[in-house]
Amino acid sequence: MKKFLFKILLILTTSLSAQVKLLSWNLENLGKSKSDSTILYIANTVKEYDIIVIQEVVAGHGGAQAVAKLADELNRKGSKWDYVISDPTSSSAYKTERYAFIWKTAVVKKIGKAWLEKKYNIEIDREPYYATFEYKNKQFTIANFHAITKSKQPETEIKYFKFLPEEYPTLNILFVGDFNCPQSHTVFIPLRRMNYESAFFKQKTSLKKECFNNNCLASEFDNIWYNKEKITLKNSKAIPFYTDFENLKRAKKVSDHIPITTEISIK
């Protein structure tokens, strides 16, 4: 009887703890500038996660090829991965880029085609890139996003995010990426009123030029916004990858941002 109860408890515990492990990373200028050793380092850093959400894939200069190399490297590590890359964003006033998703095919399934935001592609310089995934017969959509820099006032484009859940009423959307704006900014109030919440609070994610007294992080830019009525998050954390390097100059050959991670379950 005890063995039977233990098995039931184990099954329930496994079921409750089974979640999708998500990682988002602004991989500064992901393209030809990344060496093979850097791609290998990135692969080793992200391999334990199920969905990798990447910002700042260069539109030219080998950006798509770098994503393919990263996916190939991940496929050498024991799991089967697939990937999709966006067309260049349509911004004319700022720097055009690509986005990418890489995912473990044994864990999640991509549903339909990924797409760049069409309705607000003028108002938002680097319009979000959406992909819908299915996990245990439940679907969620990730809006991959990289805002204009802080000096250009990213709140002027983030303000349009309040219209996106209504634009896609059947989708369970998470807004993921580099907002160049802290979660405390008033521009996020409309999302909060729609039951959205940020995964991170006062978590700095961009690297300083130099570390001072072991303080190497500059600004609260990267985050994950989710509808708390539809999604539960746990174990949200940032990865201080720069501690693997002797100085920030070497770390920045990987990126000037640290990755953020969380585990998501769909209610």
Side-chain angles (χ1 to χ4, degrees), residues 50-111:
D50 303 319
I51 301 176
I52 314 303
V53 185
I54 300 173
Q55 303 87 44
E56 212 168 308
V57 179
V58 297
H61 305 292
Q65 292 88 338
V67 174
K69 284 173 67 175
L70 176 56
D72 183 59
E73 198 63 60
L74 286 166
N75 275 316
R76 300 172 189 269
K77 299 185 179 300
S79 296
K80 177 69 175 70
W81 296 76
D82 202 352
Y83 68 95
V84 66
I85 307 167
S86 76
D87 290 333
T89 53
S90 61
S91 62
S92 57
Y94 197 57
K95 181 181 176 184
T96 185
E97 295 175 3
R98 298 179 189 264
Y99 297 101
F101 293 101
I102 311 178
W103 66 94
K104 283 179 180 170
T105 58
V107 179
V108 295
K109 176 183 178 182
K110 186 172 74 67
I111 304 299

Side-chain angles (χ1 to χ4, degrees), residues 24 53-55 99-101 126-131 142-146 174-177:
S24 176
V53 185
I54 300 173
Q55 303 87 44
Y99 297 101
F101 293 101
R126 292 179 291 217
E127 65 271 31
Y129 184 49
Y130 302 86
I142 298 172
N144 191 353
F145 177 61
H146 184 197
L174 298 93
F175 299 104
V176 179

Side-chain angles (χ1 to χ4, degrees), residues 193-211:
R193 287 174 177 164
M194 299 165 70
N195 296 310
Y196 273 83
E197 196 168 276
S198 63
F200 296 90
F201 301 87
K202 298 183 179 180
Q203 172 63 62
K204 294 178 179 179
T205 57
S206 63
L207 294 178
K208 290 185 172 182
K209 292 182 179 179
E210 295 181 16
C211 295

Side-chain angles (χ1 to χ4, degrees), residues 113-172:
K113 292 183 178 180
W115 73 98
L116 285 167
E117 170 60 33
K118 295 175 182 177
K119 186 173 181 180
Y120 298 101
N121 67 314
I122 303 301
E123 293 84 356
I124 303 173
D125 271 13
R126 292 179 291 217
E127 65 271 31
Y129 184 49
Y130 302 86
T132 297
F133 296 94
E134 184 173 276
Y135 175 70
K136 293 190 174 180
N137 298 315
K138 292 184 178 181
Q139 295 183 7
F140 57 96
T141 300
I142 298 172
N144 191 353
F145 177 61
H146 184 197
I148 53 177
T149 60
K150 185 178 179 181
S151 64
K152 293 181 179 292
Q153 298 180 303
E155 61 272 18
T156 59
E157 58 181 13
I158 295 172
K159 68 182 182 181
Y160 291 98
F161 277 48
K162 64 186 177 185
F163 302 120
L164 297 179
E166 187 175 288
E167 185 185 350
Y168 304 103
T170 63
L171 301 183
N172 185 1

